[in-house]
Amino acid sequence: MTYKNKKQRLLFVVNQGSGSRDESLSEKIINHFANTGTSIEIFELPRNCDIEQIKKAIAKANADRVIAVGGDGTLKLVAECLLNSKTPIGIIPAGSANGMAKELAIPMDIEEALEVASNGTPQKIHATLVNDELCIHLSDIGFNAYLVKKFDELPTRGMLTYAKSAWHAFWNHKKMQVQFKVGERNIKTNAAMVVIANATKYGTGFQINPDGKLDDDVFEVILIKEYAVMEILKIWISKLPWNPKKIESFQASEVKISAKYKAHFQVDGEYMGKTNKIEAKLIPNAINIIMP
């Protein structure tokens, strides 16, 4: 791939602590663009970073593109700074799961992802606002959010750690009583989890929302009534339709969900604590994301 830009200015917002890699992400970026004519600036996220610090770095750099280097949490921070702006946002997947990068088919190889970030095509996508938190990918209440909490508490990263967290969550998490309205339907049921799905799949590769599109006028509410392990495996492997007695999907542009008791809640892979109320609404054309 050849560089088509003339003195393109790129700002990289780097979370050096993302994932489990030992190498310097900043050094890889510098080396990649060493003889290209592209002007780059790197802002490494400090510990306990304030979003205002990132906004100041973005304003000062006045870059043509801002690239999030890290996981979904890093992308969320950058997107919050550039919400409803025209500035394109790129993704260099360097986190543990990298759900949004996988959603957009951005290469997991850092060098290839850097090529996409500098030469890819910007495209507007929608997002959701969930309990006043920007959500680009997926948020949920219940089982998976509890899994995210357990994953965060373990000292290592990777799929083995994820499997340990899932096993613990499977045996220890309790079902919820939830209630919400979509269109004319009032839903009141027990549930293992409820997902507000802007995207189609988790960073593990599991497709929770086959009907999802990042640029349509709705998001999906996925109601998982049972810990339906075999049902999930069936869907994953065979692509057959869900059994509506176990899993249902609804489309909405806004929804309010209430639970009888507080349950675990996560947004884009970031654990947010416990809540018994979820309010979600669509944000049209929220961010300008760089596609391969």
Side-chain angles (χ1 to χ4, degrees):
M1 191 183 293
T2 57
Y3 286 89
K4 301 172 184 176
N5 43 59
K6 292 182 179 179
K7 285 291 183 182
Q8 181 174 232
R9 295 173 57 83
L10 303 178
L11 170 66
F12 291 87
V13 178
V14 179
N15 183 356
Q16 192 63 52
S18 287
S20 57
R21 66 187 69 241
D22 297 322
E23 63 196 331
S24 168
L25 293 167
S26 296
E27 282 183 22
K28 285 187 78 76
I29 294 164
I30 292 166
N31 291 337
H32 181 89
F33 291 102
N35 299 304
T36 64
T38 299
S39 172
I40 68 166
E41 187 169 332
I42 294 173
F43 176 75
E44 292 192 349
L45 294 176
R47 289 183 181 274
N48 304 316
C49 182
D50 189 312
I51 195 170
E52 292 303 320
Q53 291 175 269
I54 307 173
K55 285 182 178 178
K56 285 178 183 176
I58 290 172
K60 183 181 177 183
N62 191 28
D64 300 306
R65 297 180 171 202
V66 178
I67 319 299
V69 185
D72 290 319
T74 308
L75 173 61
K76 182 176 182 294
L77 280 172
V78 172
E80 284 171 350
C81 296
L82 292 170
L83 190 64
N84 295 320
S85 82
K86 293 180 180 179
T87 303
I89 301 172
I91 305 171
I92 306 300
S96 299
N98 306 303
M100 199 60 183
K102 291 174 183 175
E103 182 79 29
L104 301 173
I106 289 169
M108 292 297 109
D109 178 82
I110 299 292
E111 297 290 337
E112 292 178 17
L114 286 166
E115 292 282 357
V116 171
S118 56
N119 294 321
T121 305
Q123 181 179 323
K124 285 277 190 179
I125 64 169
H126 301 330
T128 55
L129 193 67
V130 185
N131 284 13
D132 294 324
E133 286 284 343
L134 177 66
C135 176
I136 307 167
H137 192 230
L138 298 160
S139 63
D140 50 57
I141 183 172
F143 175 76
N144 184 67
Y146 182 63
L147 193 161
V148 168
K149 179 179 185 290
K150 290 286 124 190
F151 184 79
D152 285 348
E153 290 171 354
L154 292 171
T156 57
R157 288 290 176 262
M159 290 308 294
L160 180 60
T161 303
Y162 188 86
K164 287 178 182 177
S165 304
W167 181 255
H168 187 281
F170 184 79
W171 286 108
N172 291 280
H173 184 260
K174 303 292 188 290
K175 285 203 291 189
M176 314 170 290
Q177 292 181 26
V178 297
Q179 186 172 347
F180 59 93
K181 183 178 181 181
V182 176
E184 298 302 313
R185 283 192 65 183
N186 284 298
I187 314 297
K188 189 174 184 180
T189 185
N190 288 337
M193 60 187 279
V194 184
V195 186
I196 305 297
N198 189 42
T200 65
K201 58 189 173 186
Y202 285 106
T204 56
F206 172 59
Q207 190 177 53
I208 189 70
N209 181 29
D211 297 325
K213 293 180 180 177
L214 291 167
D215 58 355
D216 61 3
D217 293 329
V218 293
F219 55 82
E220 281 72 36
V221 181
I222 312 296
L223 174 65
I224 299 181
K225 303 174 192 175
E226 305 285 344
Y227 294 110
V229 176
M230 293 310 296
E231 179 73 10
I232 287 170
L233 286 174
K234 181 192 81 175
I235 298 160
W236 199 352
I237 294 166
S238 67
K239 312 300 182 188
L240 292 172
W242 287 331
N243 178 345
K245 292 182 180 178
K246 296 180 179 178
I247 304 175
E248 281 191 88
S249 175
F250 310 88
Q251 289 189 321
S253 57
E254 58 182 287
V255 70
K256 293 182 180 180
I257 302 167
S258 61
K260 188 173 182 180
Y261 303 106
K262 287 188 175 183
H264 299 282
F265 169 53
Q266 70 87 20
V267 177
D268 285 347
E270 299 290 316
Y271 181 69
M272 297 292 176
K274 284 186 167 185
T275 186
N276 60 353
K277 292 187 184 298
I278 298 286
E279 292 191 19
K281 64 179 180 180
L282 190 78
I283 313 175
N285 301 313
I287 58 173
N288 201 17
I289 206 89
I290 299 170
M291 307 282 192

